[in-house]
Amino acid sequence: TQSTWGCATNVDDLYRCLLEMMQRASLSTSDESMLTEDISSRAISSMEYFLVWELIRIQETTTTEEDNLTAMTLLRDRVSQVIDVSSTLFTQHPWEVVQQESFVLVCDIIVHFSRQLAANKESLIPLVYVAPFQLQKHLAEFVDLHVFIDETVEEGDDEPTKIEALHRRRNLLACFGKLLVYNIVKMKWGADVFKMYLRYCNDYGDIIKYTIAKCCDVDKIVCAKIMNRALNQLYKEQLIDDELVDRTSEGFIRVKELGKSFAQLFGLDQIKSREGIATLHTEGILFALIHKEELTYPYPNLAFLEVLAEFSPKLMKQDKKAILAHIDKQIPAEWKSSSDDVVLAPVNLYRYSLLHSESEGVSRGGPRGPRIATVMKKNKIKQREDEAKIAEEALSNMRKQTVQRRGPLTVTITTVPESSQSKVISPVETEFQQDS
């Protein structure tokens, strides 16, 4: 390697050396390559260290404004160049290790040079790199193809090898999750990740759950739309001839289970999740009532209302009334007199979920209603009565124990003669004598 590219004697030489190695790797094949798999992967990881080191050097170096701008422009151009080469590597290179290293490099670099870099220091704005749409698409497709795969056990694979492969895939998913959390890529690419929450719960459940929670913290409304998009995608996969869904099929039941899991991720505080839940219902109704005249059954997504019903208990009381009125306005008038179970069943189930949860009178995490206040008052009174009863029983036991330990008491009453009553203040003198 040294004889081919020369020895890197300064920063520029080091960059050119690493970049040329990456370019050679992008042009090589698995059969004809001057670079081994190990050298290619090490060159890629070294390039990441180089770019981060240059970024830190610019941040800590005090130079003139003109020199600093020149250095930032040069580093920004290098970042773009490295990302372009790395994109070719993780999309086209035949070696899996090189693909994964290139993917991690791209994810880490666009995090280091994201908009947050200049949030506290406007002078670093020239360094900000905004990932283009095509790059975001390639990153999302890479996760779908190389992370969410059904593991095939090849002959000779032992347990440590499978664990190591799973660990690498988890790392890839975590890298892409950072891009979603920091809003570096559009959240809509998160739908392909969210919809895998139950299917790959054992392998990636913790990572996906954490990603969803953090996305909700960033923007609950956008996160709710992505959840709805993920459910829509899974629902469309269950359509039979693009027209109907078998509501008793395992696939449709899995969609409902995913909706139930999503609802639980919103937590118990209805006030905090109010906007997100309301948005999810609104977007879900729009999807469910899509009308297609060319189909035999013009409402192919109507059964999605059953999935949407899983989120009804999370709605606040006033929102349930508003959504109930909204769905009644949206459905065609002829449905109310229809006897078709395909039409009525999903609509009635969804309306019942809103009416039933409203009649319970309980707002989880929300303001306490009169019914709850009455129940709490009764429980408090009962608690005080129980405490008084326990205290009385304890006092009675203490008295019995005292009598048994000290012996019986004798009471002697002495009556004062009538002749001397005038001289006595108390008519009766009571003396308690204890037996020795």
Side-chain angles (χ1 to χ4, degrees):
T1 303
Q2 180 175 344
S3 62
T4 305
W5 297 288
C7 181
T9 58
N10 54 44
V11 173
D12 294 333
D13 289 341
L14 177 59
Y15 172 74
R16 284 194 296 269
C17 177
L18 293 174
L19 182 63
E20 187 173 354
M21 294 173 71
M22 292 177 61
Q23 290 173 337
R24 288 286 185 111
S26 65
L27 298 174
S28 65
T29 63
S30 58
D31 297 329
E32 300 176 359
S33 174
M34 295 178 60
L35 299 179
T36 63
E37 183 178 297
D38 184 60
I39 292 177
S40 300
S41 62
R42 288 180 183 271
I44 295 169
S45 59
S46 298
M47 179 61 81
E48 178 181 350
Y49 298 143
F50 171 83
L51 294 176
V52 174
W53 178 76
E54 281 291 286
L55 174 61
I56 295 174
R57 186 177 66 84
I58 290 176
Q59 290 176 321
E60 296 180 350
T61 302
T62 56
T63 58
T64 62
E65 184 177 350
E66 183 178 355
D67 292 340
N68 199 28
L69 180 60
T70 302
M72 287 191 293
T73 303
L74 177 61
L75 179 57
R76 174 63 174 73
D77 293 340
R78 287 176 171 176
V79 168
S80 298
Q81 195 173 18
V82 170
I83 290 178
D84 291 341
V85 176
S86 300
S87 300
T88 304
L89 287 174
F90 78 72
T91 56
Q92 301 179 11
H93 201 279
W95 290 337
E96 184 179 10
V97 174
V98 175
Q99 289 178 345
Q100 294 177 354
E101 287 289 345
S102 303
F103 178 86
V104 173
L105 169 64
V106 173
C107 291
D108 289 346
I109 290 303
I110 60 180
V111 168
H112 286 301
F113 291 88
S114 64
R115 289 184 294 267
Q116 284 82 353
L117 178 64
N120 299 323
K121 196 172 182 180
E122 294 184 358
S123 60
L124 298 177
I125 290 179
L127 287 173
V128 174
Y129 178 86
V130 179
F133 174 83
Q134 200 63 26
L135 177 60
Q136 296 182 29
K137 182 180 179 182
H138 288 329
L139 291 170
E141 290 175 349
F142 183 86
V143 171
D144 189 45
L145 293 175
H146 295 83
V147 175
F148 299 112
I149 57 177
D150 294 327
E151 185 177 357
T152 56
V153 181
E154 298 180 358
E155 186 177 355
D157 282 355
D158 53 2
E159 194 66 24
T161 302
K162 291 187 289 186
I163 293 176
E164 183 181 357
L166 175 61
H167 176 72
R168 290 198 301 266
R169 293 196 298 270
R170 285 173 57 86
N171 185 47
L172 297 175
L173 180 60
C175 288
F176 187 73
K178 287 190 298 185
L179 304 183
L180 293 171
V181 170
Y182 291 116
N183 201 21
I184 296 173
V185 299
K186 296 296 183 181
M187 272 197 177
K188 67 177 184 178
W189 301 114
D192 293 331
V193 176
F194 289 9
K195 71 180 183 181
M196 300 296 184
Y197 178 52
L198 285 186
R199 182 176 176 182
Y200 293 93
C201 187
N202 293 334
D203 293 338
Y204 315 117
D206 56 334
I207 299 176
I208 299 177
K209 181 178 180 180
Y210 182 81
T211 302
I212 294 175
K214 288 300 179 182
C215 288
C216 283
D217 293 340
V218 174
D219 194 328
K220 289 182 174 61
I221 295 178
V222 175
C223 186
K225 290 182 178 180
I226 301 307
M227 286 183 178
N228 180 69
R229 184 188 182 100
L231 292 170
N232 294 165
Q233 291 179 3
L234 284 183
Y235 178 87
K236 290 179 180 178
E237 294 176 4
Q238 311 305 320
L239 288 175
I240 303 173
D241 297 330
D242 295 331
E243 291 194 13
L244 287 174
V245 168
D246 183 3
R247 292 161 42 222
T248 61
S249 64
E250 294 183 3
F252 183 72
I253 294 174
R254 284 196 295 268
V255 178
K256 293 177 63 176
E257 288 296 325
L258 181 61
K260 184 176 182 180
S261 299
F262 281 168
Q264 293 173 350
L265 294 179
F266 279 100
L268 298 176
D269 194 335
Q270 288 182 324
I271 297 178
K272 291 183 178 180
S273 61
R274 180 181 184 182
E275 292 182 347
I277 291 292
T279 300
L280 198 148
H281 276 270
T282 305
E283 295 289 326
I285 291 173
L286 290 176
F287 174 77
L289 297 180
I290 291 177
H291 185 263
K292 296 182 179 181
E293 289 286 354
E294 67 276 9
L295 299 179
T296 305
Y297 182 72
Y299 292 93
N301 302 332
L302 193 61
F304 187 76
L305 291 175
E306 291 193 26
V307 180
L308 211 56
E310 300 292 342
F311 296 88
S312 296
K314 295 293 181 179
L315 284 167
M316 298 186 71
K317 184 177 181 180
Q318 54 269 39
D319 294 336
K320 294 171 187 173
K321 293 181 178 179
I323 292 177
L324 186 60
H326 174 70
I327 189 67
D328 287 341
K329 290 180 180 178
Q330 295 296 321
I331 60 177
E334 59 269 17
W335 286 8
K336 298 178 181 179
S337 58
S338 175
S339 59
D340 188 356
D341 184 65
V342 177
V343 173
L344 292 180
V347 176
N348 289 341
L349 190 147
Y350 183 59
R351 294 186 76 261
Y352 178 78
S353 70
L354 297 172
L355 292 170
H356 178 69
S357 51
E358 177 185 337
S359 65
E360 291 175 355
V362 180
S363 178
R364 301 177 187 175
R368 299 183 182 275
R371 179 182 176 182
I372 295 180
T374 303
V375 172
M376 292 183 62
K377 185 176 180 180
K378 290 181 179 179
N379 291 340
K380 196 170 184 179
I381 294 174
K382 186 176 184 304
Q383 182 180 359
R384 288 180 178 177
E385 292 176 352
D386 293 341
E387 291 177 353
K389 184 176 180 181
I390 293 174
E392 184 179 352
E393 291 178 355
L395 181 61
S396 176
N397 293 335
M398 289 175 61
R399 288 173 177 172
K400 291 179 180 179
Q401 292 175 0
T402 302
V403 172
Q404 292 176 357
R405 184 176 65 253
R406 301 177 63 180
L409 297 178
T410 303
V411 179
T412 305
I413 300 179
T414 305
T415 304
V416 181
E418 294 181 359
S419 57
S420 56
Q421 283 184 2
S422 59
K423 298 179 181 180
V424 181
I425 297 175
S426 176
V428 179
E429 177 181 326
T430 307
E431 180 182 358
F432 296 88
Q433 297 180 350
Q434 182 176 359
D435 294 344
S436 56

